[in-house]
Every structure is written in structure tokens, then in C-alpha cells.
Amino acid sequence: KNQVEQSPQSLIILEGKNCTLQCNYTVSPFSNLRWYKQDTGRGPVSLTIMTFSENTKSNGRYTATLDADTKQSSLHITASQLSDSASYICVVISYSNYQLIWGAGTKLIIKP
Amino acid sequence: NAGVTQTPKFQVLKTGQSMTLQCAQDMNHEYMSWYRQDPGMGLRLIHYSVGAGITDQGEVPNGYNVSRSTTEDFPLRLLSAAPSQTSVYFCASSYSWQKDYEQYFGPGTRLTVT
């Protein structure tokens, strides 16, 4: 069964610290993987997309990695800011039918 | 551009009532979809449309209807509200039906059914 699991479910860190969010998937065949940021009370907004051949991609203080062999992706946030408080959602696209499999998200809280 | 807009922002219904959630986009996107988001779960696809006049069911379509008479609008109708439909509903649009294109989401409608 195609599944996407994210960990941890929630995370609290101090402002200025780094953190890494995990996304493990069992989707096959794999097309690509996208990370979304969802602020409280808002819709998700895309941060980055990772294709099969990409290992690392950065978007400002956000760096996503992908290991297609182990079917794992991570989102690393550097020098966290209060505005990084949000839920981060991983979604994997299956190549066979372009199905989107959504993770439940990681809720990140940045404390001053 | 306003992007994707949704109304209302909040809604409370009694069991058995019907209502329509409105969604509009001004990006001339061909693909539009409706999701529901429940605590501890990933987004679940309700219905989608690949163009005006074309709609199809998603993962959890029961109790919902959609229509797409124009490129811009994609309303979601709850036929007879049930407490299990208490959720946050998101409308999204994308340039293409191919799912690797970025989806743009509206701000959501928080629906409570009592």
C-alpha cells in the first residue's frame, strides 16, 4: 500500500536553532516528492519539489534531501525564525497514475 | 492576482442541512480539486476537475457533489450534512492535471456539523 509517514508529529525548538523533519514513503513507482508549508489557518504553500535524480535542493534556509534508494526525504531548516512555526507536509507523487499521497505533517513550533 | 479564493471561512451546519462551499481561481488553471483535512491525517481528495465540464471522484466523494461550468469556479456541495463531515476543506488549483505541477491552495473553510 502506498503510504507516506512523517516524523516527528510535532517539534518544539528555540529560535535560531536548526531542525530536521523526516518523510518516509513506500510509494511505487516514484515520480517526485514535494514539501509544503502550512501556516495555521492557511492553505499549504509549496516549498520545493524533488525529482528522482535530485539528492539535495535548497530554498533559502530550507534544504530538502532525497534518498530514492531508502525512500526517505528530509527537510532541514537552518537558523529557525518565529515565522517558521507551521506544519510541514510531505507529498509523494506516484508515476503510474499520478496519484498524490499526502503525509499527515509535522507541526513545528519555534519558541523565542 | 487573488489566486484561489474560498467562501465562507467558517460555517456551522445542523445535521441534514445542505450548503455549497465556493471556490474560485484567477490563474486560468485547468485543474482544480477539493480536499478535506482532518487532525492526524493527510489531505484527502474529494473531487477534482481537469477542465470546464469535466469532473471526477477522488478518494472520499460520498456525500459531496461538484460541478465545473467555468474554468474559474469549482463549487463543492454538501447534500445532507453529517457530523463526520466536520473538517477543514481546501480548494486547490494547478496549471495541469499532471500531479507534479504545484498546487495552489485557498485559505480553507472550517466546517462544523452539529
Side-chain angles (χ1 to χ4, degrees):
Chain A
K1 181 182 178 183
N2 287 335
Q3 283 187 314
V4 174
E5 294 188 354
Q6 293 188 243
S7 62
Q9 284 188 338
S10 62
L11 180 63
I12 301 174
I13 64 172
L14 292 175
E15 184 180 11
K17 298 296 186 182
N18 303 337
C19 67
T20 300
L21 314 180
Q22 297 289 342
C23 174
N24 296 341
Y25 60 92
T26 58
V27 177
S28 182
F30 173 87
S31 175
N32 51 55
L33 180 150
R34 192 181 286 274
W35 283 94
Y36 281 88
K37 179 186 180 188
Q38 184 177 20
D39 292 320
T40 301
R42 309 286 293 273
V45 175
S46 178
L47 287 174
T48 189
I49 183 169
M50 304 289 290
T51 62
F52 184 85
S53 59
E54 293 177 308
N55 297 119
T56 303
K57 184 179 283 188
S58 293
N59 177 3
R61 295 180 296 101
Y62 299 101
T63 299
T65 65
L66 176 65
D67 186 334
D69 292 330
T70 62
K71 298 188 176 182
Q72 295 179 326
S73 176
S74 65
L75 183 68
H76 185 75
I77 304 174
T78 304
S80 61
Q81 300 176 359
L82 296 178
S83 59
D84 293 329
S85 292
S87 289
Y88 292 84
I89 303 172
C90 170
V91 56
V92 179
I93 297 90
S94 173
Y95 191 72
S96 62
N97 58 3
Y98 284 105
Q99 182 186 10
L100 294 170
I101 299 95
W102 294 83
T106 293
K107 185 175 177 63
L108 176 64
I109 298 172
I110 311 297
K111 286 191 175 289
Chain B
N1 286 353
V4 180
T5 57
Q6 291 183 238
T7 56
K9 183 73 171 172
F10 300 94
Q11 183 69 50
V12 178
L13 291 178
K14 295 187 187 302
T15 297
Q17 287 185 318
S18 62
M19 78 159 296
T20 299
L21 308 185
Q22 301 293 342
C23 173
Q25 53 92 7
D26 61 359
M27 297 173 282
N28 201 32
H29 284 170
E30 65 176 25
Y31 183 85
M32 297 186 73
S33 56
W34 276 100
Y35 291 91
R36 59 178 290 171
Q37 186 175 42
D38 300 295
M41 301 181 70
L43 289 167
R44 290 186 291 170
L45 182 65
I46 304 171
H47 284 285
Y48 65 94
S49 169
V50 298
I54 306 169
T55 64
D56 206 346
Q57 296 181 350
E59 180 186 356
V60 288
N62 292 343
Y64 309 95
N65 271 355
V66 293
S67 60
R68 183 111 178 257
S69 56
T70 67
T71 299
E72 294 78 20
D73 300 300
F74 190 45
L76 177 72
R77 278 181 285 278
L78 278 71
L79 307 174
S80 177
S84 60
Q85 293 179 306
T86 293
S87 186
V88 181
Y89 291 85
F90 288 100
C91 178
S93 75
S94 178
Y95 174 76
S96 167
W97 62 268
Q98 296 184 31
K99 304 298 192 294
D100 47 358
Y101 279 83
E102 177 180 356
Q103 293 198 66
Y104 295 83
F105 286 83
T109 295
R110 184 173 292 275
L111 174 68
T112 302
V113 182
T114 61

